[in-house]
Structure formats: structure tokens, C-alpha cells
């Protein structure tokens, strides 16, 4: 469906279930090219926003009633609450993300003072590692800022609010990358972000004779939340042990050389591997961006491959289906690089593939995947899209 068709069907649905008309907003999902699990470790990331994302149609109400529905869930069944009891979440319920953003705004001193009606629709496959959750949060922060006139909330604040909602309200202790990419994305550009300082640069990401191809393994990352929080705790524990010699607060502050010299300070072998991934991945991300600046897609691709190996063996956040998709991609001429993207335990791979090798890649991956796993992967050839914005 085109954006126009999406908005038309959403407007019709809004009128049908809530009555009247509202204002439309959009926030994108993201794909991370390299720099995985480095954001909560104070390292660098290199994501871009997608043109896929989540839409909302919203109308402020005069009373205290909040009504939410999503065309992706239960045929847009309405969940109702009030401005006084929205914090009463139900574990695992999709409305927690919206509740969390209202809560994060309140914590920032921006109180949602009346009710509203909102209808969502997203065209990111949910649970596939392309951050439908971050797009939902950033979108919610954006429309609430707009309809309640929270002028002090900047575009970057939308990212912080979304992260706070997901981390402290929903309970998934994520870093800032996903929400940052959704809020700050730019057409045809990726973002090189240093998460320790929040310094960032936009880099053009239109490749000469090659494209970014996302492959959805169709394996939902259901275990991700608890495993994610475990990885985070393991990295924090590694920092504490490294503190015997290094005055650091995050693994991103350590060079590869420093890590190699002193990694024995980390007593536990598993934690040492987790820390190794965080330190080496940060270094790879810096080198990958340098390569891209020099138009060297070959080196960029090799670093993507190394990133995958590290996520598979040291960080252990991959799964057999994803490892197969990546390994099969590596065998094809014209594939510069391929790796798991997103939090892990399923979801998607991201690959850079020469234009004339894309159909061969897709045909091979589809046939082998069907044979081994009896399901079809989905492919998306993507270009970087705009960050969260009001449509009107
Ligand atoms: P990811 O962010 O990788 O897509 P998550 O598990 O973090 O996966 O987030 C997916 C969850 O976000 C869904 O299960 C649902 O609760 C919520 N969600 C995302 N998009 C929508 C939507 N359009 N409508 C309702 N809920 C959504
Ligand atoms: Mg998510």
C-alpha cells in the first residue's frame, strides 16, 4: 500500500470507530548497518531510518478519556483508559508503549492534561528487529508534543522520551539507537552516532551499483527482552572488573589494544566474550564509516561480516535461521556483506548486494530457506527515509 492509500484507509477507520477526523503523523523504523549492541555500551552505531514505519491519526478530546486502537491488532479494537489511570499497564499489551510515553512526558514535566483518540497502523513487520516499537514510541511523543503544545520538547527529545518509555516503563533496557534513528533520520543518509556523547553526523548512504537488502527470517525475537537485559548486565559487570585498571564507565571508552592487554581482569569467560564484542564492534563501526567515506564498499562489507561472526560467537544473539541466511549470502558473488541486524534472536539480516546480484541472492536464499525451514523469507530493498514528522 502507498502512503496515500494507508492514510485513506486509516481516516475511514478513524471515522468509523471514533467519529470525526484527526491529524496524521508518521515515524519510521530503522535498520542498523553496523554497530550492534554498542549503544548501551557507550559505543558508535550506524543506523538509518526506513520509509516503512508507523502512522497515527489523532484527535484531542475535551474530557479525560484516552482511546487507543491499532489496525494491526484485533481489528482495531478500542482500549480505553483515562488521564488518571493510564499507568496501569497489562504485561505484554501493545498499549504499554503509548502509556510509557505519556508517563515519560509527565516525568519531564509535560503533563497530558486531557484525553485523546488515536488510531495506529504500522507497515514494519512487528518483532522483526526493524524497531516497530521505537517507531511507535517516537510517533506517540511527536503527536503528544504537537496536540498538547509541549514546545520545550525537541526532535531529539522524542528519542529520549521513547527510550525512557521502553526502558523504564515497558522494561526492555534498550539503548538510544532505535529511537534516535526514528526521530532523527534523513532521506538517503545514515547516522554515525557516538552514544557516549550523542555527537552525530549524517553520511550519504546511496551506494554506487549496490543496494541495501533486508531479509526477514520470519523468526520473531520473543526471547529478546530477557536475554537483552542479561547482556546488558554482563557488560556492566565486565566494566566493573576492568575498573581495577581502567577509569571507564562504558566499554565504548576502551580501545581494542587496551582490551586485549587487560581482558584477563574479567574473570568470567562468558563476560569476557561479551565485552570483547562490545569493544571490537565499536572499533569496527568506526572503521566501517571511514571505509564508506572513502567509497570502499568492499571493506565496509567485510566489517559487516566480522560483525556477524562476533554477534554469533561472542555475543551469542543470533539463531540458526539467521546464521544460515547470512552464510548463504556470503557464498554469492556480488554480496559485499551480510549480517544480523537489530537486537537478535531472530528478526532480519541486512546485506549490501550489487544490483546485478540481488535477484540471484533472493532466489537462492528463498529456495534454500524453504527447503530447510519450510517457510519463506521476506525481502525488502530499502533506501534511507525521513525521521518522524507530522503529515497533517
Ligand atoms: P520490534 O521493535 O523489533 O519490531 P518489539 O517486540 O520491540 O519488536 O516491538 C513489537 C511490539 O510493539 C508489538 O508486539 C506491539 O506490542 C508493538 N507495536 C509495534 N507496532 C505496532 C502497531 N502498529 N500497532 C500496535 N502495536 C504495535
Ligand atoms: Mg523493539
Amino acid at each position: 500500500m502507498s502512503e496515500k492509500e494507508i492514510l485513506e484507509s486509516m481516516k475511514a477507520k478513524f471515522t468509523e470507530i471514533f467519529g470525526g477526523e484527526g491529524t496524521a503523523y508518521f515515524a519510521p523504523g530503522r535498520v542498523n548497518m553496523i554497530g550492534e549492541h554498542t549503544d548501551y555500551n557507550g559505543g558508535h552505531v550506524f543506523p538509518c531510518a526506513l520509509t516503512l514505519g508507523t502512522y497515527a491519526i489523532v484527535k484531542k478530546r475535551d474530557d479525560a478519556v484516552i482511546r487507543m486502537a491499532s489496525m494491526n491488532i484485533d481489528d482495531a479494537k478500542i482500549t480505553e483508559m483515562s488521564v488518571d489511570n493510564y499507568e496501569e499497564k497489562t504485561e505484554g499489551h501493545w498499549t504499554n508503549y503509548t502509556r510509557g510515553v505519556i508517563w515519560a512526558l509527565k516525568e519531564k514535566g509535560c503533563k497530558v492534561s486531557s484525553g485523546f483518540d488515536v488510531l495506529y497502523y504500522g507497515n514494519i513487520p512487528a518483532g522483526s528487529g526493524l524497531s516497530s516499537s521505537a517507531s511507535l514510541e517516537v510517533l506517540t511523543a511527536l503527536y503528544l508534543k504537537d496536540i498538547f503544545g509541549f514546545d520545550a520538547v525537541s526532535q531529539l527529545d522524542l528519542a529520549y522520551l521513547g527510550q525512557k518509555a521502553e526502558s523504564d516503563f515497558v522494561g526492555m533496557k534498550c539503548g538510544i539507537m532505535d529511537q534516535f534513528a526514528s526521530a532523527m533520520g534523513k532521506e538517503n543518509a545514515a547516522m554515525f552516532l557516538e552514544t557516549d556523547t550523542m555527537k552525530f553526523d549524517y553520511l550519504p548512504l546511496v551506494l554506487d551499483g549496490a543496494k541495501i537488502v533486508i531479509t526477514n527470517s520470519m523468526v520473531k525475537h520473543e526471547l529478546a527482552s530477557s536475554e537483552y537485559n542479561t547482556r546488558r548486565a554482563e557488560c556492566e559487570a565486565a566494566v566493573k572488573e576492568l575498573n581495577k585498571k581502567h577509569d571507564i564507565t562504558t566499554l565504548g571508552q576502551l580501545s581494542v589494544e587496551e582490551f586485549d592487554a587487560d581482558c584477563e581482569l574479567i574473570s568470567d569467560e562468558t563476560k569476557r566474550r561479551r565485552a570483547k564484542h562490545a569493544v571490537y564492534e565499536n572499533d569496527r563501526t568506526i572503521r566501517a564509516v571511514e571505509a564508506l567515506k572513502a567509497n570502499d564498499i568492499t571493506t565496509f562489507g567485510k566489517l559487516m561480516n566480522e560483525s556477524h561472526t562476533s554477534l554469533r560467537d561472542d555475543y551469542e544473539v543470533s539463531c540458526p535461521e539467521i546464521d544460515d541466511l547470512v552464510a548463504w549470502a556470503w557464498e554469492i558473488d556480488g554480496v559485499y556483506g551480510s549480517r544480523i541486524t537489530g537486537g537478535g534472536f531472530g528478526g532480519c539480516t541486512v546485506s549490501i548486494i550489487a544490483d546485478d546480484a540481488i535477484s540471484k541472492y533472493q532466489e537462492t536464499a528463498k529456495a534454500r530457506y524453504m527447503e530447510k525451514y519450510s517457510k519463506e523469507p521476506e525481502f525488502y530493498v530499502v533506501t534511507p527515509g525521513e525521521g518522524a514528522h507530522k503529515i497533517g
Side-chain angles (χ1 to χ4, degrees):
M1 266 201 292
S2 67
E3 178 165 291
K4 192 163 165 271
E5 288 165 336
I6 289 172
L7 290 170
E8 270 168 17
S9 75
M10 287 183 77
K11 281 179 181 161
K13 195 71 177 178
F14 188 95
T15 307
E16 178 196 321
I17 63 172
F18 294 132
E21 288 171 9
T23 308
Y25 302 80
F26 172 76
R30 64 95 190 91
V31 65
N32 188 27
M33 299 305 297
I34 192 162
E36 211 70 78
H37 288 276
T38 46
D39 60 348
Y40 54 86
N41 281 310
H44 292 75
V45 292
F46 193 52
C48 59
L50 297 170
T51 54
L52 298 170
T54 312
Y55 294 85
I57 307 244
V58 191
K59 195 169 93 184
K60 197 171 163 185
R61 300 172 58 97
D62 296 328
D63 57 17
V65 177
I66 301 174
R67 296 192 292 179
M68 301 177 197
S70 166
M71 285 169 71
N72 300 93
I73 310 241
D74 291 340
D75 198 22
K77 182 169 163 268
I78 295 172
T79 302
E80 198 170 306
M81 63 201 80
S82 90
V83 290
D84 304 311
N85 74 357
Y86 69 87
E87 287 182 37
E88 292 165 20
K89 64 176 178 179
T90 309
E91 209 51 53
H93 201 262
W94 72 274
T95 57
N96 292 350
Y97 297 93
T98 303
R99 295 169 193 265
V101 174
I102 304 173
W103 169 81
L105 274 163
K106 182 200 72 183
E107 294 289 295
K108 196 179 158 61
C110 300
K111 193 165 177 343
V112 166
S113 52
S114 75
F116 58 91
D117 291 331
V118 60
L119 175 68
Y120 294 104
Y121 172 74
N123 57 2
I124 311 173
S128 69
L130 301 178
S131 256
S132 66
S133 61
S135 79
L136 182 59
E137 294 147 10
V138 168
L139 175 70
T140 301
L142 170 69
Y143 73 68
L144 290 175
K145 165 195 157 84
D146 196 49
I147 64 173
F148 289 101
F150 299 138
D151 293 338
V153 173
S154 68
Q155 189 75 15
L156 181 59
D157 287 337
L158 303 179
Y160 288 125
L161 288 161
Q163 184 207 15
K164 191 173 170 66
E166 182 142 356
S167 178
D168 300 345
F169 191 88
V170 178
M172 167 82 174
K173 300 277 167 207
C174 59
I176 191 66
M177 170 173 72
D178 302 350
Q179 292 80 5
F180 178 87
S182 181
M184 304 299 285
K186 244 191 200 171
E187 214 177 340
N188 294 328
M191 290 154 275
F192 183 41
L193 168 70
E194 183 181 13
T195 58
D196 214 14
T197 58
M198 292 304 284
K199 275 196 216 142
F200 64 96
D201 263 338
Y202 290 103
L203 255 91
L205 189 64
V206 185
L207 304 165
D208 213 6
K211 298 220 160 42
I212 302 164
V213 180
I214 296 173
T215 305
N216 187 350
S217 69
M218 312 303 280
V219 178
K220 291 205 174 187
H221 55 56
E222 269 142 5
L223 266 179
S225 179
S226 64
E227 290 290 336
Y228 200 101
N229 293 347
T230 307
R231 295 296 179 284
R232 194 173 177 139
E234 286 167 338
C235 289
E236 281 164 9
V239 167
K240 285 216 172 76
E241 293 194 280
L242 288 162
N243 281 153
K244 283 177 213 143
K245 189 152 172 207
H246 294 277
D247 186 19
I248 53 167
T249 50
T250 66
L251 291 167
Q253 294 163 352
L254 211 61
S255 70
V256 163
E257 293 72 24
E258 286 168 325
F259 177 81
D260 284 345
D262 294 320
C263 62
E264 297 298 324
L265 290 172
I266 307 166
S267 49
D268 175 71
E269 193 268 338
T270 305
K271 291 198 184 84
R272 204 179 307 139
R273 278 189 289 120
R274 307 294 192 242
K276 180 181 178 195
H277 168 76
V279 173
Y280 274 68
E281 180 77 354
N282 184 36
D283 179 68
R284 269 192 290 275
T285 307
I286 296 166
R287 286 190 288 134
V289 168
E290 276 165 17
L292 193 71
K293 281 183 183 161
N295 246 325
D296 181 358
I297 310 179
T298 304
T299 301
F300 190 93
K302 279 195 183 125
L303 291 162
M304 286 173 78
N305 297 349
E306 285 175 27
S307 164
H308 183 76
T309 309
S310 176
L311 288 157
R312 183 191 65 197
D313 300 340
D314 286 337
Y315 220 63
E316 293 182 284
V317 290
S318 190
C319 66
E321 291 88 342
I322 291 276
D323 289 338
D324 276 332
L325 286 171
V326 167
W328 297 335
W330 289 349
E331 289 172 19
I332 293 174
D333 275 348
V335 173
Y336 288 98
S338 186
R339 59 182 286 274
I340 189 171
T341 188
F345 306 100
C348 292
T349 69
V350 61
S351 312
I352 296 182
I353 309 182
D355 291 337
D356 57 10
I358 293 177
S359 45
K360 171 147 190 231
Y361 162 75
Q362 292 181 341
E363 281 159 23
T364 314
K366 185 172 151 185
R368 295 181 80 168
Y369 203 71
M370 285 286 285
E371 195 190 335
K372 186 159 178 187
Y373 296 109
S374 306
K375 58 181 157 191
E376 236 182 270
E378 274 180 11
F379 303 101
Y380 321 98
V381 179
V382 300
T383 48
E386 276 297 313
H389 55 272
K390 182 175 181 174
I391 298 170

